[in-house]
Coordinates of all heavy atoms in Angstrom, one line a residue:
W21 N 94.1 98.5 102.0 CA 93.9 97.9 100.6 C 95.2 97.6 100.0 O 95.4 96.5 99.4 CB 93.1 98.9 99.7 CG 93.0 98.4 98.3 CD1 92.0 97.6 97.8 CD2 93.9 98.7 97.2 NE1 92.3 97.3 96.5 CE2 93.4 98.0 96.1 CE3 95.0 99.5 97.1 CZ2 94.0 98.1 94.8 CZ3 95.7 99.6 95.9 CH2 95.2 98.9 94.8
I22 N 96.2 98.6 100.0 CA 97.5 98.3 99.3 C 98.3 97.2 100.1 O 99.0 96.5 99.4 CB 98.3 99.6 99.2 CG1 99.3 99.5 98.0 CG2 99.0 100.0 100.5 CD1 99.9 100.8 97.6
L23 N 98.2 97.2 101.4 CA 98.9 96.1 102.1 C 98.4 94.7 101.8 O 99.1 93.7 101.9 CB 98.7 96.3 103.6 CG 99.5 97.5 104.2 CD1 99.0 97.9 105.6 CD2 101.0 97.1 104.4
R24 N 97.2 94.7 101.3 CA 96.5 93.4 100.9 C 97.0 92.9 99.5 O 96.8 91.8 99.1 CB 95.0 93.5 101.0 CG 94.2 92.4 100.5 CD 92.7 92.7 100.5 NE 91.9 91.8 99.6 CZ 91.0 91.1 100.1 NH1 90.6 91.1 101.4 NH2 90.3 90.3 99.3
Q25 N 97.5 93.8 98.7 CA 97.8 93.5 97.3 C 99.0 92.5 97.2 O 100.0 92.7 97.9 CB 98.1 94.8 96.5 CG 97.0 95.7 96.5 CD 95.6 95.1 96.2 OE1 95.4 94.5 95.1 NE2 94.7 95.2 97.1
P26 N 98.9 91.5 96.4 CA 100.0 90.5 96.2 C 101.3 91.1 95.9 O 101.4 91.9 94.9 CB 99.5 89.6 95.1 CG 98.0 89.8 95.1 CD 97.8 91.2 95.5
G27 N 102.4 90.8 96.6 CA 103.7 91.2 96.3 C 104.1 92.5 97.0 O 105.3 92.8 96.9
V28 N 103.2 93.2 97.5 CA 103.6 94.5 98.2 C 104.2 94.2 99.5 O 103.7 93.5 100.4 CB 102.3 95.4 98.4 CG1 102.7 96.6 99.3 CG2 101.8 95.9 97.1
T29 N 105.5 94.7 99.7 CA 106.2 94.5 100.9 C 105.9 95.5 102.0 O 105.5 95.2 103.1 CB 107.7 94.5 100.6 OG1 108.0 93.5 99.6 CG2 108.6 94.2 101.9
A30 N 106.2 96.8 101.6 CA 106.0 97.9 102.6 C 105.7 99.2 101.9 O 106.6 99.7 101.3 CB 107.3 98.0 103.5
P31 N 104.5 99.7 101.9 CA 104.2 101.0 101.3 C 105.0 102.1 102.1 O 105.2 102.0 103.3 CB 102.7 101.2 101.6 CG 102.2 99.9 102.0 CD 103.3 99.1 102.6
I32 N 105.5 103.1 101.3 CA 106.3 104.2 101.8 C 105.3 105.3 102.0 O 104.8 105.9 101.1 CB 107.4 104.6 100.9 CG1 108.3 103.4 100.7 CG2 108.2 105.8 101.5 CD1 109.4 103.6 99.6
F33 N 105.0 105.7 103.3 CA 104.0 106.7 103.5 C 104.8 107.9 104.2 O 105.7 107.8 104.9 CB 102.9 106.3 104.5 CG 103.3 106.1 105.9 CD1 103.0 107.1 106.8 CD2 104.0 105.0 106.3 CE1 103.4 106.9 108.2 CE2 104.4 104.8 107.7 CZ 104.1 105.8 108.6
G34 N 104.3 109.1 103.8 CA 104.8 110.3 104.5 C 103.8 110.9 105.4 O 102.6 110.6 105.3
T35 N 104.3 111.7 106.4 CA 103.3 112.2 107.3 C 103.9 113.6 107.9 O 105.1 113.8 107.9 CB 103.1 111.3 108.5 OG1 102.2 111.8 109.5 CG2 104.4 111.0 109.3
T36 N 102.9 114.5 108.2 CA 103.3 115.7 108.9 C 102.7 115.9 110.2 O 102.9 116.9 110.9 CB 102.9 116.9 108.0 OG1 101.5 116.8 107.7 CG2 103.6 116.9 106.6
K37 N 101.9 114.9 110.7 CA 101.2 115.0 112.0 C 101.3 113.6 112.7 O 101.3 112.6 112.0 CB 99.8 115.4 111.8 CG 99.6 116.8 111.2 CD 98.1 117.1 111.1 CE 97.9 118.5 110.5 NZ 96.5 118.8 110.4
L38 N 101.4 113.7 114.0 CA 101.5 112.4 114.8 C 100.3 111.6 114.6 O 100.4 110.3 114.5 CB 101.7 112.7 116.3 CG 103.1 113.3 116.7 CD1 103.1 113.8 118.1 CD2 104.2 112.3 116.4
E39 N 99.1 112.2 114.5 CA 97.9 111.4 114.4 C 97.8 110.7 113.0 O 97.3 109.6 112.9 CB 96.6 112.2 114.6 CG 96.6 113.5 113.7 CD 97.1 114.7 114.4 OE1 98.0 114.6 115.1 OE2 96.5 115.8 114.1
H40 N 98.4 111.3 112.0 CA 98.5 110.6 110.7 C 99.4 109.4 110.8 O 99.1 108.3 110.2 CB 98.9 111.6 109.6 CG 98.0 112.7 109.4 ND1 98.3 113.8 108.7 CD2 96.7 112.9 109.8 CE1 97.3 114.6 108.6 NE2 96.3 114.1 109.3
L41 N 100.5 109.5 111.5 CA 101.4 108.3 111.7 C 100.7 107.2 112.4 O 100.8 106.1 112.0 CB 102.7 108.8 112.4 CG 103.9 107.8 112.3 CD1 105.2 108.6 112.5 CD2 103.8 106.8 113.5
D42 N 100.0 107.6 113.5 CA 99.3 106.6 114.2 C 98.2 105.9 113.4 O 97.9 104.7 113.5 CB 98.6 107.2 115.5 CG 99.7 107.7 116.5 OD1 100.8 107.2 116.4 OD2 99.3 108.6 117.3
D43 N 97.5 106.7 112.5 CA 96.6 106.1 111.6 C 97.2 105.1 110.7 O 96.6 104.0 110.4 CB 96.0 107.2 110.7 CG 94.7 107.8 111.2 OD1 94.2 107.3 112.2 OD2 94.2 108.8 110.6
A44 N 98.4 105.4 110.2 CA 99.1 104.4 109.3 C 99.4 103.1 110.0 O 99.2 102.0 109.5 CB 100.3 105.1 108.7

C-alpha cells in the first residue's frame, strides 16, 4: 500500500528476522 502512494521513494523498514526481510 505505501509503495503505491504518490511521491513515496523508499519506505524504511526494520526487521529482526530473516523471514520478515524476505516478506518486505
